[in-house]
Amino acid sequence: MSGFLDRVSCSECIDWGEKRNTIASIAAGVLFFTGWWIIIDAAVKYPLTPQLNHSYHACGVIATVAFLMINAVSNGQVRGESYSEGCLGQTGARIWLFVGFMLAFGSLIASMWILFGGYVVQDDKSKEVYPGIAVFFQNAFIFFGGLVFKFGRTEDLWQ
């Protein structure tokens, strides 16, 4: 059962070569936009603080900062191929990337805590769950958008 898709080849149908960066950028942008669109929808639908606490938006802001931090350094800078000067050089780029991933994972975990702690496991059954789902999906979409933008593109086409 482990090799049942070995004979299926889809990459030969489409030439992704020079369009890879464009497709990855568009996909990451759509994921990022979708995340913010979901939370804006929830904020409009549930404007009162008991329904959707306004402090829950901090997770999305932190995920956005993490998105920018992760994608601010190139893979060549992390490997030490193209960046040797500056404040900390390759070590600084690695620390920056590590902090960005910590913020991204932290905001995703915090959004799960908000979903389950604030909405799913509640004594009040009349409270809607959608605001918690919206906070989680906002952070999940931003997180996966950052991963697609970071690892979906190739730097070979930049030179």
Side-chain angles (χ1 to χ4, degrees):
M1 185 81 180
S2 64
F4 74 100
L5 290 176
D6 288 344
R7 295 183 187 200
V8 177
S9 60
C10 183
S11 63
E12 296 170 0
C13 305
I14 301 170
D15 182 27
W16 297 103
E18 295 184 13
K19 296 180 182 177
R20 180 177 172 174
N21 289 355
T22 304
I23 293 169
S25 298
I26 290 171
V30 166
L31 288 170
F32 185 82
F33 164 78
T34 304
W36 276 104
W37 186 263
I38 289 171
I39 199 65
I40 289 170
D41 176 57
V44 168
K45 191 171 179 182
Y46 301 99
L48 302 176
T49 302
Q51 296 170 330
L52 174 64
N53 195 341
H54 301 301
S55 64
Y56 293 163
H57 295 295
C59 285
V61 172
I62 292 171
T64 301
V65 170
F67 179 93
L68 296 172
M69 286 180 71
I70 289 168
N71 292 294
V73 294
S74 67
N75 293 333
Q77 291 172 334
V78 173
R79 287 189 301 260
E81 296 171 355
S82 65
Y83 188 70
S84 60
E85 299 175 8
C87 184
L88 294 174
Q90 177 186 6
T91 305
R94 287 180 176 178
I95 291 171
W96 185 264
L97 186 66
F98 180 71
V99 170
F101 274 117
M102 280 186 9
L103 288 174
F105 281 113
S107 66
L108 190 62
I109 292 168
S111 70
M112 285 185 232
W113 175 78
I114 289 169
L115 170 61
F116 289 104
Y119 292 97
V120 174
V121 184
Q122 283 294 318
D123 295 333
D124 184 15
K125 299 297 180 190
S126 65
K127 190 172 184 179
E128 298 252 356
V129 181
Y130 176 69
I133 293 172
V135 170
F136 171 71
F137 276 118
Q138 176 204 21
N139 286 281
F141 278 121
I142 292 173
F143 177 76
F144 289 119
L147 290 180
V148 167
F149 196 70
K150 178 70 177 170
F151 300 112
R153 298 175 301 140
T154 179
E155 296 175 6
D156 297 337
L157 299 175
W158 298 350
Q159 299 168 0

